[in-house]
Amino acid sequence: VNYLGSSETIRQSFSIIKLKMLSRNFSTDTSICTNNPLNNNFNYYLAGLIEGDGSIIVPTSQRDKKGRLTYPSIQIVFGLMDLPLALMIQKLLGHGSISRKRGTEAYVLSINNKEGLLLIISLVNGKFKTDKIYALGKLIEWYKVKGDITLSLLPKNILPLGDSSWLAGFIEADGHFSIRATEAKHASQKVECKFILNKIYR
């Protein structure tokens, strides 16, 4: 069996090409991001990526049991070979830190600061398709209570999958592409292409 490619190597190559194209029309200035329709490709892509392999963590109270202030965060997990993609998204957003996840072959992009989280809210609100929208709603309410924003959670994105970049982000988070070539002594070479989409909600 000769593996010509794997989900990681193939996905990494397409990720870099696609993100370079998207970055041409993206700015980290919030007013530009929310008003410029040319940025919708990145916004939908980011929403799909967060829904696929991201976590929106919202504390249940302003302080923990020890009286310390609590803060919300958004974390997106990337495979080891997807580090260039994580770095590019971090650069495009202008916020977040990347760290190696202990005990796993993965990196985590964490956005914990208010400016970064408010920016992401403005980019992905109205673009979520899964039940992770409820976590986004909690994040929005967190900042509404604090008086940082006045916007409300928009409904789920019901656009067809082919009308936005949401599916591209979701596939890059949870999709698996593979190409396999086999040779038999009395048969011609056989090439198989496979795509698998696995989703584990957390």
Side-chain angles (χ1 to χ4, degrees), residues 26 28-31 33-34 43 46 50 56 72-74 93 95-96 111-125 136 138-151:
F26 184 78
T28 54
D29 180 78
T30 307
S31 61
C33 286
T34 54
N43 300 350
L46 181 63
I50 292 174
I56 301 175
S73 69
I74 292 178
L93 292 174
H95 297 279
I111 299 92
N112 304 310
N113 62 315
K114 182 174 72 174
E115 293 78 10
L117 291 171
L118 292 179
L119 173 61
I120 292 179
I121 289 173
S122 72
L123 296 179
V124 304
N125 190 24
L136 179 63
K138 291 180 181 179
L139 181 62
I140 291 175
E141 288 301 317
W142 172 277
Y143 284 114
K144 286 183 71 174
V145 169
K146 296 173 71 67
D148 293 315
I149 55 176
T150 58
L151 59 81

Side-chain angles (χ1 to χ4, degrees), residues 85-101:
L85 175 61
L87 291 168
M88 187 169 290
I89 291 177
Q90 179 192 38
K91 181 179 180 181
L92 291 174
L93 292 174
H95 297 279
S97 61
I98 297 176
S99 60
R100 177 74 180 271
K101 193 173 182 180

Side-chain angles (χ1 to χ4, degrees), residues 13-23 45 165 168-169 172:
S13 299
F14 282 112
S15 298
I16 300 306
I17 294 172
K18 179 158 67 273
L19 265 294
K20 283 183 177 179
M21 294 175 65
L22 294 173
S23 65
Y45 173 87
S165 300
E172 292 220 277

